[in-house]
Amino acid sequence: MKPRFLTKSRFIKANDCPRKIFYEDHPNEYENKTLDNPFLRALSDGGFQVGALARVYHPGGLEFDSSDHRKAAALTGEHLKKDNVTIYEAPFAFENFFVRVDVLVKSGNNVELIEVKAKSYDRHSDEFFDKRLLKKGAYKLTERWKKYLYDVAFQTLVCRKAFPEYTFTPFMMFADKNATASVDGLNQRFLLLEENGRLKVKVAPGTDPTAVGDKLLCKVNVSDVVDKIINGMDLGEKSRAQLGLPSFEDVAKLWADSYQRDERLEADHGSHCKTCEFRTHSENGKQNGFDECWKEKVGDKINEPFVFDVWNFRKSESLIGQGKFLMSQIEETDIEPESDEKPGLSVSERQWLQVKVFKAGEQKPQVSLDALKAEMATWKYPLHFIDFETATVAIPFNKGRSPYEQIAFQFSHHVVHQDGRVEHAGQYINDRRGAFPNFEFIRALKSELQKDNGTIFRYAHHENTVLCQIFNQLKASAEPDKETLMAWIRTVTTSTESTGEDWAGARAMVDLWAHVKRFYYHPFMKGSNSLKQVLPAILKESVYLQEKYALPAYGASNGIKSLNYKDWTWLKRNPKGEIIDPYKQLPKIFDGVDMSQLDFTLMRGDELADGGAASTAYAKMQFTEMNFIERTALKDALLKYCELDTLAMVMLYEHWMEITGKLKAQRVA
């Protein structure tokens, strides 16, 4: 039988759930909803660029590749005979384990195994072990770091097994949260490209340790942590052996043997299954791995919602342990709903409402009408609806900036006037490569919103958090108008812990997300309060929205003003008469573009349907080489996407006006 190797990526996947390595290895049979394009994944997390910078810090390394894992590993063995050697992506094999070490540095008999992660690390505050248990002399890995440390522990195990004659010391290299760039344009030294279907980083000529300035990556010795993992001492007050569990190595062997035989391992049923990438509803005939796993527990009730589908429910793991898997099995005593003496629903009341509505088969929205009316009575016209698109990059654009510092590259702004008139009033986007846009962004936003004292709306915490982060960036800057901009930010935000000051702006943004949670629930939202889930629900419910947006009036000369759409109809139906989610109607990125004119067509035909995709599109504009046509197409797609976000907020407001009886004759002129 041809050998099949348990690689480190499969090992980490199995740590999520052992069954996943079978599903992932059969992509033609099982649908996987995760981002499966490695280039987009590299853009979104900055991993390739951080890896390239790590190599700059360890120059002169060898790199070799072979499709035959054992031959590649044999090459590593030959080079390890040298007294001193550095190897990039060093391959190691032992039995049917196979890993590649990001950076390997050998000096004499000592070998540094360096795993590079595009993740921020704060030397002063980050802890690998649970602080509470540490005081008791027990070691339990925190969930934040467990996946990464198990990764490097598996690599260390394989290396030590393959070459016991050497001393392997594991390190992890992270983006240093406390570091700042000492040179401009550092990020632009590492551009991503595809070559023969493979990812590569194009490193600018002259990029050496001197050219990149002060170090932005920190190397952390994790040998003590790794030894505890390998020895089974990382689970808390009892070891793996005391708990009757197989050792770390034995678990890895079990998974490797199962993978070699192409077998399904036992599924790890639990609340973590809520976000399983194999929980899909494929339209191409592929199987649903989630359903296959859970049919073992719930049989033909697989299409019912589960206990972990209850919004913000922390007891689902406990209920699963009691044999309660489905929402229909939840009793009121499992939730114990209790008022918090505030208008609308408390968290527990909303949780029980979701369960109760499902059990009763209700299809209509549940509204805390009086509380919603009272809240809406405090709003002042004209109403402003804003949404930001942001990105965090591992390697900063500019001198003085830190890894993963917030970049605000886009906003959209809708206005609703007292007579019900809606307009897309403004927008901003930065598409200049290597520019730090935040101060230009805040000036443009201030210009949009300072014309009156109308209520400003956001959806969730993000916009408030970003403005407070820009406040801190301004404070540390030499911008000539920083005091004016900081003073304005104070008026429209509520301070966060990071600002070091306390304030609640007289015109602080109103959070529609918070009001959805307290005042409005629709069964079609399926327990989610995301705007992407709320919008289809209200369109399904609202006669007013159905009539208004079924007309091609959005962006029409005598209709609703739009900066990016023309004669657009948002309310469309499929052949079954069902309303099509507006986010699924967004134009293809390259509609109307001659594909032969594109230099780099990675996102060809894709849609921008969420903030993660928008951030990835922005990263693509920044970190890949493309021509003017593709750059323009991506910019236009970003503008259309962000405009829909603020329009969705407007539609929510209009629906609430409808159900509270406050809606006047608001028809398109």
Side-chain angles (χ1 to χ4, degrees), residues 85 153 305 336 480 567:
V85 67
E336 298 179 323
D567 301 328

Side-chain angles (χ1 to χ4, degrees), residues 258-276:
S258 170
Y259 182 69
Q260 174 66 44
R261 295 190 298 267
D262 197 26
E263 295 175 343
R264 292 172 177 82
L265 280 162
E266 184 177 346
D268 179 18
H269 298 94
S271 58
H272 57 276
C273 296
K274 178 177 181 176
T275 57
C276 177

Side-chain angles (χ1 to χ4, degrees), residues 52 117 161 195 229 389 466 538 559 643:
K117 291 295 182 188
K161 289 289 183 179
E195 194 172 274
I229 293 171
E389 299 303 332
V466 170
I538 63 174
E643 180 173 346

